Amino acid sequence: EATACLTEVLREKVAYADVYDMLGVIYHQDGKLAEAEEMFRQALRLNPAYTEAALNLVVTCNDLGKYTEAKTIYERAMAAVQRAPRELDPFVKGKIANMHAEIGATYREVGAFDEAVREYQRALALCPTFADLRTELGKTLREMGDLPGAIRELELVRAEHPRYAPGRIHLGLSYHAAGRNDDAAAQWRAVADADPTNRSARMYLSMLEATPSPAGPPART
């Protein structure tokens, strides 16, 4: 199941070194060493400083009997770490960002919105391309009444990740809260067109269709 999800991400042509590294780990565990090697190499092409992917490639090359190459890769990775000892590995950045997001979610649950926003912003400072983190920030801004801020963040999610359904769903909800029902419908319709099984999109579209339009002035008699 994980392989299917990660492969779907790659089909969207996103340059995520983490995805290649995770696929490499799965392939290695399945004994598909050649496929694992290629995934780790792809991760390093995207991020040459990705220490974890480099070490995973070292292990895989050793398993394939490529001992000289494994030694070269290891020495290169260690030299890179020594040159930039303060640079966080992308994997570590992701873990720390998710920890900030968990704290932000806790703050949001108890209504401490300002603190929640700060935690999501800290998470995004580490991983600015994580669509789920920016979507959570947008949701929090909407819940605290900052509709322009929510729309700004969620429109950025749409621009960077147009196929990320939760971002469009919540952009639609923010448009709806701002009275922009046509824009809201456009977002939900885009999600429903891409995935007819998306229950949230269909539910919100039905809600709009069932909501009567504002009444006009009374007719003269």
Side-chain angles (χ1 to χ4, degrees):
E1 186 177 354
T3 302
C5 292
L6 294 168
T7 303
E8 177 63 25
V9 174
L10 294 186
R11 276 199 288 268
E12 296 180 13
K13 306 295 183 184
V14 291
Y16 288 163
D18 284 349
V19 175
Y20 286 103
D21 182 65
M22 286 187 283
L23 270 173
V25 170
I26 293 171
Y27 286 143
H28 187 275
Q29 290 175 349
D30 283 346
K32 300 176 181 178
L33 299 183
E35 291 90 339
E37 179 187 9
E38 178 57 27
M39 291 297 102
F40 295 137
R41 290 189 185 279
Q42 288 283 6
L44 288 169
R45 288 188 191 104
L46 290 170
N47 182 2
Y50 198 163
T51 307
E52 185 175 5
L55 295 179
N56 286 335
L57 179 57
V58 168
V59 172
T60 304
C61 285
N62 273 325
D63 289 343
L64 288 167
K66 300 179 179 181
Y67 304 116
T68 302
E69 189 171 357
K71 181 181 178 183
T72 300
I73 295 166
Y74 179 80
E75 290 173 347
R76 190 185 306 138
M78 292 303 98
V81 169
Q82 291 170 4
R83 285 196 301 271
R86 296 182 181 179
E87 178 65 24
L88 288 176
D89 185 280
F91 181 77
V92 175
K93 283 186 179 181
K95 290 185 70 173
I96 296 173
N98 285 330
M99 291 170 68
H100 280 299
E102 289 175 9
I103 296 171
T106 302
Y107 275 129
R108 191 176 73 203
E109 287 172 4
V110 298
F113 294 119
D114 290 337
E115 289 83 354
V117 166
R118 279 193 287 272
E119 291 300 326
Y120 287 125
Q121 288 172 338
R122 290 188 182 111
L124 287 165
L126 290 166
C127 298
T129 63
F130 279 23
D132 58 335
L133 298 182
R134 197 171 297 280
T135 299
E136 291 302 313
L137 173 58
K139 288 166 57 178
T140 304
L141 290 169
R142 184 179 70 241
E143 290 172 15
M144 67 189 294
D146 183 0
L147 291 178
I151 290 171
R152 180 186 64 248
E153 296 296 337
L154 293 165
E155 285 181 339
L156 184 57
V157 173
R158 180 186 60 188
E160 294 180 348
H161 307 277
R163 295 181 62 183
Y164 184 63
R168 282 187 175 266
I169 291 290
H170 285 284
L171 178 57
L173 286 171
S174 299
Y175 283 148
H176 179 62
R180 298 168 57 179
N181 287 350
D182 289 344
D183 291 333
Q187 300 311 308
W188 298 330
R189 197 168 293 114
V191 174
D193 288 345
D195 178 13
T197 66
N198 190 295
R199 296 176 63 184
S200 294
R202 291 188 290 109
M203 178 182 69
Y204 290 132
L205 284 170
S206 298
M207 174 194 71
L208 277 186
E209 292 170 359
T211 301
S213 301
R220 293 180 180 271
T221 56

